[in-house]
Amino acid sequence: MENQRISVFQQRNRWGVTVLSLVLCLLLSPGLVLSLAVPQILMLLPVVLLWLLGYAGPVSAGGCLAILTGFSCFFLGGWGALSVFLFLAPVLIVSAVLVERGSPMFISAGMSSAVMFISCGMIMGLLTLLAGSDIVTAISGLCRQAFEAAGKMGDSLLVMLMELGVIAEPDGLSYLEGSGLLSIDAQMRSEMIDKLILAIDSMLRLEIPMQMSTGSIAAGVIGQAALRKGLRTRGEAVDCPALHTWRIPGGWGRVLGGTWAILLVFSMLFAGRISSMYYVFTGVVELLFSLQGIAAVCYLFHERGKGSLIKAVVFVLGFTLLRSMAVVLGIADQAVDITKRREKLGKTGWEISFTTRESGR
């Protein structure tokens, strides 16, 4: 099934929802802009805008984008506003164009994910240019300055991190007699800060690429689903496989598993860049199989006639608090079809999209 040709940017606006969304965006934007460093919020924003574009109309999505960009300019300056615009606008435009052209959902999701990843890379390059060094070094430098200027409060935080095992105990550390308090001199403080900054630097060089990859994929897949669900409420016949049918095609599952195993072996044999690649790829694999695990549980509820509300709860829990369990279920479902979805539904989910693309040639 191919999408009907529709015009996403010229559809009628639902003015009640549009006004409500703009008011909420005005009220929430200061907090959202100041918390953009949180990966979950970064992923959530394009998904919400894509849902608004599909459900409420272009004025709602465009207005919220303008509000977020304006507040970013106020709090973060012109470069901050440009970064926010580059992060949100390309995926919004490309996702809508793909729907207009009748692209199947998961083909569109892959392309939207690629666009979001490229946008993140452009923003990282912009921030690197402004900082005069790579972004991780800049963040590490800011952390060092903050701890060096924090005085006693910084010492207390360093001690807490040491007790939690984040940084190793420095040589010569002692307790003041009778008080149980730690005695930290300038040399010890400098040593502890050095160890903390090294840990932060090492973590960020792994975490930033992983968050960019997984966040882009999540925003691409969930954002396309949100856009298409919104359009379906208007009666548009767009390709949007139900969540309970989502499943990675067998061949792609073997490719993912085999690549992950190869990277695991090489990361144990060779340190450095291979280990970084393994860490990033593991995050991507876990994300994809967590979606499949969530879909498998939703299929069981679907078979029992449960409604959308409980499926939404399953999705939220599986994507946040119960992510590890969702990954395990996804791998098991891919390996042995524990829900019998493959047997009962045939080619579903991602396979619909790939099959449609091939048949359209």
Side-chain angles (χ1 to χ4, degrees):
M1 180 189 74
E2 291 192 5
N3 297 350
Q4 295 180 356
R5 292 300 179 92
I6 61 174
S7 182
V8 177
F9 293 110
Q10 295 179 9
Q11 61 184 319
R12 295 177 60 184
N13 296 283
R14 290 173 167 169
W15 290 109
V17 180
T18 296
V19 172
L20 178 61
S21 66
L22 294 177
V23 171
L24 287 175
C25 189
L26 279 169
L27 295 175
L28 298 176
S29 284
L32 289 174
V33 170
L34 294 176
S35 55
L36 285 177
V38 181
Q40 289 77 8
I41 292 179
L42 282 176
M43 184 202 74
L44 182 64
L45 284 178
V47 172
V48 172
L49 289 182
L50 284 167
W51 179 80
L52 288 174
L53 178 60
Y55 183 83
V59 172
S60 174
C64 288
L65 174 60
I67 291 170
L68 287 167
T69 303
F71 273 98
S72 299
C73 184
F74 179 78
F75 286 106
L76 306 174
W79 293 112
L82 178 60
S83 297
V84 171
F85 184 81
L86 284 175
F87 180 75
L88 296 174
V91 70
L92 201 66
I93 295 171
V94 170
S95 296
V97 169
L98 289 168
V99 173
E100 289 184 348
R101 291 180 174 274
S103 177
M105 176 174 159
F106 289 106
I107 297 297
S108 300
M111 298 178 69
S112 298
S113 299
V115 168
M116 173 140 283
F117 187 82
I118 292 171
S119 296
C120 291
M122 292 174 61
I123 294 169
M124 295 300 292
L126 177 63
L127 295 177
T128 297
L129 181 64
L130 293 174
S133 61
D134 69 271
I135 191 64
V136 174
T137 301
I139 294 174
S140 299
L142 290 174
C143 292
R144 179 183 295 277
Q145 294 175 17
F147 273 97
E148 289 176 348
K152 294 295 184 182
M153 183 179 298
D155 290 351
S156 300
L157 183 55
L158 287 170
V159 171
M160 182 182 70
L161 292 172
M162 182 194 70
E163 292 175 345
L164 291 173
V166 177
I167 55 178
E169 181 176 315
D171 297 332
L173 192 67
S174 61
Y175 289 85
L176 297 176
E177 292 185 7
S179 66
L181 299 176
L182 288 171
S183 175
I184 301 177
D185 58 25
Q187 182 178 352
M188 291 181 186
R189 182 183 300 109
S190 177
E191 183 181 344
M192 294 175 76
I193 291 175
D194 287 343
K195 291 179 179 180
L196 176 61
I197 298 306
L198 179 61
I200 292 174
D201 188 272
S202 301
M203 182 270 294
L204 288 177
R205 292 188 187 280
L206 293 174
E207 197 66 24
I208 288 179
M210 194 269 281
Q211 292 293 345
M212 285 176 57
S213 301
T214 57
S216 296
I217 294 172
V221 175
I222 301 172
Q224 276 289 330
L227 172 60
R228 291 161 188 263
K229 287 288 186 182
L231 289 170
R232 281 201 168 187
T233 63
R234 296 171 171 269
E236 301 286 358
V238 294
D239 172 33
C240 188
L243 175 61
H244 69 272
T245 68
W246 290 14
R247 187 173 63 82
I248 302 172
W252 283 90
R254 288 188 290 272
V255 169
L256 289 172
T259 305
W260 179 83
I262 292 171
L263 288 176
L264 173 61
V265 172
F266 275 92
S267 67
M268 292 187 294
L269 296 177
F270 309 100
R273 189 173 298 274
I274 297 296
S275 297
S276 301
M277 292 173 59
Y278 167 73
Y279 182 82
V280 173
F281 192 77
T282 296
V284 172
V285 170
E286 288 180 351
L287 170 65
L288 295 176
F289 280 115
S290 70
L291 289 175
Q292 175 152 339
I294 292 168
V297 176
C298 288
Y299 176 78
L300 296 177
F301 282 114
H302 174 78
E303 286 286 277
R304 288 161 176 76
K306 303 299 181 181
S308 300
L309 179 59
I310 192 168
K311 295 177 185 176
V313 173
V314 169
F315 183 88
V316 172
L317 291 176
F319 208 73
T320 55
L321 300 178
L322 303 177
R323 183 75 167 272
S324 298
M325 185 180 298
V327 173
V328 173
L329 286 174
I331 294 173
D333 186 61
Q334 179 69 21
V336 297
D337 193 23
I338 57 174
T339 59
K340 304 302 179 183
R341 289 190 298 157
R342 187 184 300 117
E343 175 184 330
K344 295 180 181 179
L345 298 177
K347 292 186 175 181
T348 60
W350 289 22
E351 294 184 353
I352 285 179
S353 299
F354 281 92
T355 303
T356 302
R357 187 184 185 191
E358 293 171 357
S359 61
R361 290 180 178 177

